[in-house]
Amino acid sequence: MVFADLREFLRCLEEQGELARVHVEVEKDHEIGAICRKVNDHAGPGLLFEKVRGYSVPLACNLLGTKKRFAMALGTSDGALTEEWLRRTSLPPINPVLISRGACQENIFVGDGLDLLKMFPIPIWNELDGGPFITLPIVISRDPETGIRNAAMYRLQVHERNKLGILMAPYRHTEIHRGKASAEGRGLPVAIAIGTDPAVALAALAPLPFGVDEFAMAGALRGEPVEVVRCKTVDLEVPATAEIVLEGEILVGETKEEGPYGDFTGYYGAKVKRPVVEIKAITHRDNPIYHGLYNGRPPTEEQIIRGLPIEMDIARQCPLPGIRKINLTMGGCGAFNCVVSIEKQFEGYGKMIAMAVLGTWGARFVKTLIIVDDDIDPFDWNQVEWALATRVQPHRDVEIIRDVVGCILDPSLPLQERQSGRSRTSKMIIDATKYDAAEFEVPCQPRQDVMEEVTREWAKYGIGVPSGSSRLP
Ligand code: MN
């Protein structure tokens, strides 16, 4: 199933009972954030706020807030998601197709008087946020040298009616484009699409290497090309069915304090002078829908959409065989803690594959990497902890690697490094696989043939717990 736009996805969610429409009037600032916090804590439904006070534009959020809905966005199921992601991303990318007219330009506003704050219900989400934040913008730019397109998500703070602050770490692709333009004394033209077919948003979120066109990868994920139209004031293309498009440029030589903002780490981060985007044109569909996301300490939708593409792409990018399952944990913010189960080929392979995993672009935020044997389910914390408890000797199985590129939002790093962007982190490998596996003690359990018989005859005991529980293989 391929979605043509956000609206088709909303309809699908509603048909499947995965969308709640909020009919009562809500305040865009703080009230929507508070509702989202509660809904996220309970892995609740996608939300469509139909009446936001002072606005005619409705706000959709939490649409991808569970693994099930993430899978639905790609027309697959929870259980088949990783396999499908790997299959589709291994196919040749499908380049977007340029069409002459797109719904995203049904309404066009150019020049003076543009006022983002009046047009769209952009919320203040968490208490100490420095202002309203656009949280699901697909920022599109072109490499000034090669012309290759990039599309990625960055938080955007609305400073004033036509000016946005943008947070891009030094290793982010749009920042590399900005650096190249700025070295020539020019600003970087950008287009910002809000509310697209979810596959486009997920491709923009995925940790794809520099130089990969996310729209072409979105085509591979959808199995059909993304249709794009030319922007009105910048030499860029945008998804034709986007709800809202902002056109403008990242100004050369202008910065303004951005933040604080409650981000995926669960903290606000520092207020720092960051680049400014000036908006010069706004286009939108008739009756546009604004698409946002609540961000904060886990669990939220943010850790789902951040973590799952990384988790799946580590498997794709790791050059060594033997990975069985990867869990970039929710409590680890979908970024910092990772458990990988492997089929260990030979002694020493646990640490070897750990280095390969940490060498992928996808794993650049991972700080604690736990490698387990494939009899351990990385998604079952009791099993992981059992491996840590019974298969690990810290002096032998723990390695610390110092001064690797760190996440600028990681609150455990010194403030100065986070503010300057020169953040360096250390990383820990815990090899929790069996040491000398051939001689390692055998895990205890009842006799296998009796276990099988008991499972077959389970109902007769009248105990009530399901026979398929993990205690009864
Ligand atoms: Mn990129």
Side-chain angles (χ1 to χ4, degrees):
M1 166 107 200
V2 172
F3 298 105
D5 56 16
L6 183 70
R7 297 170 189 205
E8 277 192 4
F9 182 51
L10 283 167
R11 270 196 293 278
C12 171
L13 291 175
E14 192 156 32
E15 280 162 19
Q16 307 278 321
E18 291 284 339
L19 184 76
R21 285 175 182 270
V22 179
H23 304 296
V24 296
E25 189 172 75
V26 293
E27 292 286 349
K28 79 171 179 73
D29 294 336
H30 306 294
E31 187 177 3
I32 287 177
I35 295 166
C36 286
R37 178 67 269 171
K38 282 181 169 290
V39 169
N40 275 285
D41 282 339
H42 299 285
L47 301 171
L48 184 62
F49 294 97
E50 294 180 330
K51 283 184 214 151
V52 184
R53 182 166 301 157
Y55 296 88
S56 59
V57 175
L59 183 148
C61 65
N62 203 36
L63 303 185
L64 300 160
T66 60
K67 191 172 182 179
K68 181 183 178 191
R69 292 203 293 277
F70 184 105
M72 285 170 69
L74 296 175
T76 184
S77 66
D78 194 339
L81 177 61
T82 301
E83 197 184 320
E84 271 300 296
W85 180 276
L86 295 178
R87 187 183 69 77
R88 296 183 199 180
T89 54
S90 67
L91 298 171
I94 301 175
N95 284 324
V97 171
L98 183 67
I99 59 173
S100 57
R101 291 167 68 89
C104 69
Q105 293 172 343
E106 283 167 343
N107 302 273
I108 299 168
F109 305 88
V110 182
D112 297 339
L114 296 175
D115 194 336
L116 272 171
L117 287 164
K118 280 196 180 140
M119 289 173 83
F120 308 114
I122 306 168
I124 295 175
W125 300 91
N126 281 305
E127 184 176 6
L128 303 181
D129 284 356
F133 274 82
I134 302 174
T135 45
L136 278 176
I138 301 172
V139 179
I140 300 146
S141 61
R142 216 184 280 292
D143 188 312
E145 279 176 359
T146 66
I148 296 174
R149 174 180 23 237
N150 193 72
M153 296 272 188
Y154 303 94
R155 72 188 204 194
L156 299 173
Q157 178 175 356
V158 184
H159 287 317
E160 46 186 291
R161 59 175 188 81
N162 65 343
K163 285 198 172 167
L164 307 169
I166 183 167
L167 182 150
M168 301 176 292
Y171 40 77
R172 296 299 301 269
H173 300 162
T174 312
E175 173 60 13
I176 296 171
H177 290 184
R178 190 193 66 83
K180 287 182 180 183
S182 152
E184 293 170 1
R186 292 187 288 115
L188 181 75
V190 291
I192 298 164
I194 300 167
T196 63
D197 156 25
V200 178
L202 294 179
L205 282 157
L208 304 175
F210 186 66
V212 174
D213 178 359
E214 283 82 6
F215 283 4
M217 201 54 111
L221 284 174
R222 311 168 81 235
E224 277 181 28
V226 177
E227 291 188 333
V228 294
V229 289
R230 273 197 212 294
C231 288
K232 294 295 172 186
T233 61
V234 287
D235 180 23
L236 291 166
E237 296 88 36
V238 286
T241 62
E243 294 292 331
I244 297 162
V245 175
L246 315 178
E247 301 180 6
E249 73 169 18
I250 303 180
L251 301 172
V252 62
E254 186 171 331
T255 58
K256 186 178 163 79
E257 280 194 328
E258 189 265 3
Y261 169 69
D263 215 311
F264 75 99
T265 57
Y267 299 88
Y268 287 99
K271 206 168 157 180
V272 176
K273 283 194 166 180
R274 296 198 163 109
V276 173
V277 187
E278 187 178 15
I279 303 304
K280 295 170 177 174
I282 297 175
T283 75
H284 67 73
R285 294 181 65 152
D286 291 340
N287 305 312
I289 301 166
Y290 182 78
H291 190 196
L293 162 141
Y294 172 79
N295 204 341
R297 62 159 172 77
T300 75
E301 178 181 17
E302 167 75 16
Q303 286 88 23
I304 295 277
I305 62 172
R306 169 181 293 275
L308 287 176
I310 295 175
E311 201 172 280
M312 296 187 289
D313 236 56
I314 288 174
R316 192 169 72 91
Q317 293 172 18
C318 178
L320 294 182
I323 289 183
R324 287 289 167 268
K325 288 186 191 170
I326 301 176
N327 180 14
L328 205 60
T329 67
M330 174 59 81
C333 308
F336 298 126
N337 298 340
C338 187
V339 187
V340 177
S341 65
I342 63 164
E343 186 188 346
K344 198 155 101 174
Q345 317 265 323
F346 38 79
E347 289 311 321
Y349 199 61
K351 285 184 186 174
M352 191 170 177
I353 210 160
M355 291 190 292
V357 165
L358 290 179
T360 63
W361 181 241
R364 68 186 186 276
F365 285 175
V366 172
K367 289 199 290 182
T368 297
L369 174 60
I370 302 171
I371 307 287
V372 294
D373 293 301
D374 57 3
D375 64 330
I376 302 291
D377 180 357
F379 292 89
D380 182 334
W381 189 250
N382 275 336
Q383 293 187 31
V384 173
E385 198 178 1
W386 180 58
L388 289 175
T390 62
R391 299 181 186 179
V392 171
Q393 277 295 314
H395 74 278
R396 181 190 68 196
D397 299 319
V398 176
E399 302 292 342
I400 291 175
I401 303 153
R402 291 173 171 79
D403 293 326
V404 191
V405 178
C407 172
I408 59 166
L409 293 174
D410 179 351
S412 69
L413 291 175
L415 179 64
Q416 203 189 355
E417 289 200 14
R418 286 183 277 140
Q419 285 178 327
S420 67
R422 294 191 294 273
S423 52
R424 283 149 297 181
T425 189
S426 58
K427 295 182 180 244
M428 175 165 61
I429 294 168
I430 305 177
D431 181 357
T433 61
K434 295 174 203 155
Y435 190 77
D436 284 337
E439 295 160 20
F440 205 88
E441 288 218 36
V442 176
C444 50
Q445 62 173 345
R447 244 171 65 186
Q448 186 62 24
D449 58 332
V450 179
M451 286 290 284
E452 284 164 14
E453 196 186 331
V454 164
T455 303
R456 269 196 308 276
E457 300 289 317
W458 188 242
K460 80 175 184 191
Y461 303 110
I463 294 171
V465 301
S467 70
S469 84
S470 63
R471 303 285 169 206
L472 296 170

